[in-house]
Amino acid sequence: MMNLAQTLLHNPSSIKTKSQAKQLHAQLIKTTRTASPSISSTILSIYSNLNLLHESLIVFNTLHSPPTVAWKSIIKCYSSNGFFACSLASFIEMRALGKYPDRNVFPSVLKSCAHLGELRLGQSVHGCIIRLGMDCDLYTGNALMSMYSKLPDLDVDGGRRFNASQVFDETSESKQHSGDDSNIELFEKWILPVGSKANLNKASDSLAQTDKQREDFEFSVGGRKKGTIRMESMSKVFEMMPEKDIVSWNTVIMGNAKNGMYQEALMMVRDMGNANLKPDSFTLSSVLPIFAEYVDVLKGKEIHGYAIRHGFDEDVFIGSSLIDMYANCTRVEDSCRLFGLLPKRDDVSWNSIIAGCVQNGLFDEGLKLFRQMLVAKIKPMHISFSSVMPACAHLTTLHLGKQLHGCIIRGGFGDNVFVASSLVDMYAKCGNIRIARGIFNKMELHDMVSWTAMTMGYALHGFAHDAILLFEQMEKEGGKPTYVVFIAVLTACSHAGLVDEAWKYFNSMTQAYGITPGIEHYAAVADLLGRAGKLEEAYQFISSMHIESTSIVWSTLLAACRVHKNVELAEKVAKEIFTVDPENMGAYALLSNTYSAAGRWKAAAKLRIRLRDKNMRKKPACSWIEVKNKVHAFVADDTSHPYYDRICEALEVLLEQMEREGYVPNTNEVLHDVEEEQKRHLLSSHSERLAIAFGIISTPAGMTIRVTKNLRVCIDCHTATKFISKIVGREIIVRDNSRFHHFKDGKCSCGDYW
């Protein structure tokens, strides 16, 4: 028996597995019925180090008066298994029993405070540390700084106050952390004997004993109770530490960087060098996001060079941080090159390069990398789907989006709010607003991303009243409107001509929510006024903007001038655009089209000659459609498609049927001075008609046809598509560069207002 005890007491670290620990425990029970407190505590320590919560609780409850080392083990085991409230309750009870914690207890307690967001309790623990004279301990100081860097700021009411009853209220959730379905029984059987609710709540009152220490500490960092107190607390701990190691410096650098205090973080890196400590891979991965935020690629390259010189460039965390930095600085080619050089790629590096490609508009490349990640047997996480889903949304590849949706469901990520929001956005932008709303309705929680995605989805589809109702529902449920969600609701008003409602929301931005309107909001209102024919009002509105005007805002008005054939105002607006952007090809094209629409062919020809002399070319109209998992693209009068002859035959048949139904080509939309027959031919060969005809001959009868166009749908194609939808008995969804048009039974969802 003594040999066994000696083995336990002097070499507990030799026990590496659960089976070894249980075998040793069984031998001890077999040898003697009553183990000494020291041996039981050592067994408990072994179970705790192996994160075996069930076994740890069994041993702990055999101790009538657990020593400090036993409390340390159970507190650590709770924290390691994610039972943070239980960890804190055990610490409170230990203090109530007069036990003095050692330096090994506080890291677990401080970690639990951070995970539960308990700043008040964290400050009380800090006061206890000061009282016990452990505030100069390096290990404890690092844990304190880590806690302060992760905790949220106090609310106006002073934040939450921990109550031991939450230990019992949260037992049903605790199953998630340990993966053991018997956890409810575990809590009832083993926690209740340790201390009843009443006893634990009584123990929690002992926190009042440390309130004085907490208040003294608050006074020492400036006396403020909210806002920056936790960062000041972290800095104060760092300053008072007599000894600092690399972990100390990294913790305070990471805390500053994570909380947006970039200058402070960079200064700490410099001071770290002055203290004769060299930055390691953790330091570099903390500061690289700063240069990504500042879009300072030169400073980022300096860090990259340092990493190469010191052999950190092959570190997977440094590699992922560098990929992010280059991508955020729009140097995605460097991100791809760096990714290719990584000797080992984990899920973080794969997700970084996929997100970098998608964020920089390389949607096909992002999807390709996602497929390669799956081939490499890297299991996608929720961030993987959130990163790649926008690629499907931008490319309008609904079939691929549905496949990803299936992967999400199989992977169990459907309940993740970020993934669900990405799905809402994808389905809305791929033309299926019904499924988007279905996913939105199933979400248990709605954050501002999901509210915005659904509101913008309704706006793009022209369902303005649905968008407004959703916006009002969001306000009723306590959601605070953001800069982006106001863009969505103003866009909805613009597409429906809701002038009064738009003014109400535009004014409420500053008056009710303190949000300064940006260029996107001004553009939406200007677009609304222009569509409504209020051209002079739109001109005055843009001229009186409180921010510097850009070609984007003026271009919305120029497009309206073209629709309403107001040549005089179009020339004034074009002049404003060319002042800030002399090479704006879109403005030249719009002005030329305005001349042509008004029959001023000489002015249009003169402008085209000017463009030719400048070697500037108009962006060609292009439409694409997805059929049988393949995307087919068309440009106007495109003869390259292998089905071109069949497409032309289908269009001829459709044209005959359309004319019998009353269709008359609107040749005023042909912006060239050519013969009438030639104008009719030019209209019938527009890219969206070619795509629609291909969809009709390539898909089963009754199937919805979805077409995407890079420019605005012209008036004649809009009219023609209404006739086609009625003749073929199909819904045709066309997404142009402004919105979605749902054509069905000879009508369009936009009500001919777009």
Side-chain angles (χ1 to χ4, degrees):
M1 173 60 199
M2 288 304 297
N3 290 336
L4 178 59
Q6 291 299 321
T7 302
L8 282 168
L9 290 172
H10 293 100
N11 194 24
S13 60
S14 63
I15 308 301
K16 300 294 185 182
T17 65
K18 178 179 179 179
S19 60
Q20 288 177 333
K22 297 193 79 169
Q23 183 179 6
L24 194 58
H25 192 188
Q27 289 175 359
L28 178 63
I29 294 173
K30 187 176 180 180
T31 304
T32 178
R33 293 189 177 184
T34 306
S36 67
S38 61
I39 293 179
S40 294
S41 296
T42 305
I43 294 174
L44 174 59
S45 177
I46 292 170
Y47 282 139
S48 176
N49 288 335
L50 294 172
N51 291 329
L52 301 174
L53 180 57
H54 186 279
E55 291 77 6
S56 296
L57 285 168
I58 291 174
V59 177
F60 185 81
N61 281 281
T62 64
L63 297 169
H64 297 293
S65 180
T68 299
V69 66
W71 283 106
K72 180 203 78 170
S73 296
I74 201 65
I75 289 168
K76 176 187 174 184
C77 198
Y78 274 138
S79 180
S80 299
N81 281 275
F83 297 116
F84 303 115
C86 297
S87 179
L88 292 178
S90 297
F91 174 75
I92 292 169
E93 187 169 9
M94 181 189 73
R95 293 291 295 123
L97 293 172
K99 302 291 183 181
Y100 287 91
D102 61 17
R103 67 192 292 268
N104 296 308
V105 173
F106 289 112
S108 298
V109 176
L110 294 170
K111 174 185 175 183
S112 298
C113 290
H115 276 275
L116 293 174
E118 289 287 351
L119 179 55
R120 283 295 192 198
L121 186 56
Q123 290 171 332
S124 296
V125 175
H126 192 172
C128 179
I129 290 169
I130 294 172
R131 185 179 181 186
L132 295 174
M134 296 184 187
D135 50 316
C136 293
D137 177 68
L138 175 65
Y139 190 54
T140 305
N142 288 343
L144 273 169
M145 288 192 297
S146 178
M147 177 197 71
Y148 280 122
S149 71
K150 295 173 183 175
L151 278 168
D153 286 323
L154 285 179
D155 296 327
V156 176
D157 64 356
R160 299 185 297 167
R161 179 63 184 269
F162 175 79
N163 191 295
S165 63
Q166 75 183 98
V167 175
F168 300 89
D169 295 337
E170 294 176 0
T171 54
S172 61
E173 295 180 13
S174 300
K175 288 196 295 183
Q176 306 172 34
H177 299 289
S178 69
D180 187 349
D181 290 336
S182 63
N183 275 330
I184 297 296
E185 296 177 10
L186 174 75
F187 270 78
E188 291 175 351
K189 185 175 181 181
W190 296 111
I191 293 182
L192 288 174
V194 174
S196 65
K197 269 193 183 185
N199 289 336
L200 283 177
N201 281 323
K202 181 179 178 181
S204 69
D205 291 339
S206 67
L207 283 173
Q209 298 174 9
T210 56
D211 279 350
K212 181 64 170 65
Q213 282 75 35
R214 186 188 69 221
E215 290 168 4
D216 289 344
F217 181 73
E218 287 174 348
F219 179 78
S220 72
V221 295
R224 283 183 287 171
K225 297 285 199 301
K226 57 181 179 178
T228 60
I229 185 171
R230 55 193 183 80
M231 297 308 297
E232 290 178 352
S233 300
M234 182 186 71
S235 299
K236 191 72 174 180
V237 171
F238 183 78
E239 291 169 9
M240 296 176 67
M241 290 173 66
E243 180 188 357
K244 303 177 181 73
D245 62 0
I246 190 73
V247 176
S248 313
W249 285 94
N250 283 340
T251 301
V252 75
I253 290 168
M254 181 272 293
N256 282 319
K258 186 178 178 182
N259 287 277
M261 301 169 67
Y262 302 135
Q263 292 296 339
E264 291 83 349
L266 294 176
M267 287 176 63
M268 293 301 295
V269 175
R270 183 194 64 191
D271 294 343
M272 181 181 177
N274 294 336
N276 295 320
L277 281 173
K278 292 184 178 180
D280 61 6
S281 60
F282 190 90
T283 317
L284 302 186
S285 61
S286 295
V287 298
L288 277 169
I290 299 176
F291 304 124
E293 185 73 20
Y294 281 156
V295 194
D296 191 340
V297 72
L298 293 179
K299 288 278 177 44
K301 281 186 171 183
E302 288 180 20
I303 299 294
H304 192 180
Y306 180 92
I308 293 172
R309 289 193 300 274
H310 292 82
F312 296 139
D313 55 315
E314 294 187 356
D315 182 280
V316 69
F317 299 107
I318 293 295
S320 298
S321 297
L322 285 168
I323 289 169
D324 285 335
M325 184 275 295
Y326 281 120
N328 285 351
C329 294
T330 67
R331 298 286 293 269
V332 70
E333 66 280 359
D334 290 328
S335 293
C336 293
R337 191 177 302 113
L338 184 62
F339 179 77
L341 293 172
L342 284 178
K344 185 180 179 181
R345 300 164 186 167
D346 64 353
D347 58 330
V348 177
S349 53
W350 278 103
N351 290 330
S352 296
I353 191 62
I354 291 169
C357 287
V358 174
Q359 289 166 8
N360 283 275
L362 301 178
F363 306 119
D364 288 316
E365 185 65 23
L367 289 168
K368 178 182 175 183
L369 284 164
F370 182 81
R371 294 189 188 98
Q372 290 176 0
M373 183 180 75
L374 297 180
V375 171
K377 305 298 182 184
I378 301 294
K379 185 179 179 181
M381 304 301 290
H382 66 87
I383 189 67
S384 313
F385 294 108
S386 299
S387 298
V388 76
M389 202 63 69
C392 297
H394 282 278
L395 296 174
T396 62
T397 52
L398 182 59
H399 181 79
L400 181 56
K402 286 181 176 180
Q403 288 182 329
L404 287 173
H405 191 179
C407 290
I408 288 167
I409 293 172
R410 290 191 296 273
F413 299 113
D415 294 333
N416 183 280
V417 65
F418 302 109
V419 174
S421 298
S422 297
L423 281 170
V424 169
D425 183 62
M426 183 275 295
Y427 276 111
K429 289 180 178 176
C430 286
N432 202 322
I433 195 69
R434 182 183 58 81
I435 294 181
R437 184 58 196 253
I439 294 170
F440 180 84
N441 289 341
K442 289 179 181 178
M443 294 175 68
E444 292 184 9
L445 271 182
H446 294 123
D447 62 355
M448 285 312 303
V449 175
S450 56
W451 285 112
T452 303
M454 195 66 240
T455 306
M456 182 60 84
Y458 276 136
L460 293 176
H461 285 264
F463 303 141
H465 294 289
D466 291 299
I468 290 172
L469 285 173
L470 195 68
F471 181 86
E472 292 173 350
Q473 181 187 344
M474 177 194 69
E475 289 184 302
K476 288 178 183 177
E477 293 185 14
K480 187 178 180 181
T482 61
Y483 183 98
V484 179
V485 81
F486 271 112
I487 297 175
V489 76
L490 289 172
T491 300
C493 292
S494 173
H495 288 164
L498 305 177
V499 177
D500 293 337
E501 289 83 350
W503 280 123
K504 180 184 78 172
Y505 291 118
F506 184 80
N507 293 327
S508 73
M509 286 180 63
T510 52
Q511 296 172 5
Y513 297 104
I515 300 173
T516 303
I519 203 71
E520 299 92 345
H521 305 104
Y522 282 106
V525 175
D527 185 47
L528 167 69
L529 295 173
R531 290 173 190 270
K534 300 177 181 289
L535 302 182
E536 289 297 335
E537 187 177 343
Y539 184 84
Q540 293 301 322
F541 173 73
I542 299 172
S543 300
S544 62
M545 285 194 314
H546 297 298
I547 56 178
E548 186 177 351
S549 60
T550 68
S551 59
I552 296 173
V553 184
W554 285 115
S555 293
T556 61
L557 180 54
L558 184 56
C561 291
R562 182 252 182 199
V563 172
H564 295 283
K565 301 178 183 177
N566 190 327
V567 177
E568 183 180 351
L569 185 58
E571 291 175 333
K572 286 174 62 178
V573 173
K575 185 178 179 181
E576 296 283 356
I577 295 174
F578 298 143
T579 300
V580 296
D581 188 4
E583 304 298 317
N584 190 312
M585 182 61 220
Y588 280 109
L590 281 171
L591 183 59
S592 175
N593 292 349
T594 304
Y595 285 139
S596 298
R600 293 179 54 175
W601 304 110
K602 289 184 179 180
K606 184 177 179 181
L607 194 59
R608 284 198 294 272
I609 292 171
R610 184 179 171 187
L611 290 176
R612 186 181 62 196
D613 293 341
K614 284 177 168 283
N615 199 27
M616 295 171 66
R617 292 190 175 185
K618 179 183 175 182
K619 184 179 181 180
C622 178
S623 298
W624 56 95
I625 181 173
E626 184 181 10
V627 175
K628 296 178 181 177
N629 303 335
K630 184 179 179 181
V631 176
H632 299 258
F634 299 87
V635 295
D637 203 21
D638 188 358
T639 61
S640 63
H641 197 276
Y643 282 29
Y644 178 72
D645 292 337
R646 291 184 58 192
I647 291 171
C648 288
E649 291 175 10
L651 285 173
E652 288 176 7
V653 173
L654 283 171
L655 182 60
E656 292 178 5
Q657 293 177 296
M658 287 158 58
E659 288 177 340
R660 284 200 296 267
E661 292 284 338
Y663 165 72
V664 178
N666 185 347
T667 55
N668 292 329
E669 283 296 300
V670 179
L671 306 176
H672 298 283
D673 189 12
V674 295
E675 295 295 328
E676 192 70 17
E677 189 61 32
Q678 180 66 12
K679 287 183 178 183
R680 290 166 62 91
H681 171 73
L682 289 172
L683 285 174
S684 64
S685 61
H686 278 190
S687 63
E688 58 265 55
R689 290 202 211 183
L690 297 175
I692 290 169
F694 176 70
I696 291 171
I697 64 175
S698 304
T699 58
M703 184 176 178
T704 299
I705 296 172
R706 304 174 192 275
V707 172
T708 304
K709 186 178 180 180
N710 65 333
L711 301 178
R712 191 181 181 209
V713 174
C714 77
I715 294 175
D716 186 71
C717 284
H718 189 271
T719 302
T721 307
K722 288 196 294 184
F723 278 98
I724 293 172
S725 69
K726 183 179 180 181
I727 291 168
V728 300
R730 299 209 206 184
E731 181 178 11
I732 302 173
I733 301 174
V734 178
R735 174 187 173 184
D736 65 11
N737 67 343
S738 177
R739 59 166 295 161
F740 280 90
H741 299 265
H742 294 252
F743 298 94
K744 191 173 183 180
D745 299 327
K747 298 178 182 179
C748 180
S749 59
C750 73
D752 297 337
Y753 185 90
W754 84 100

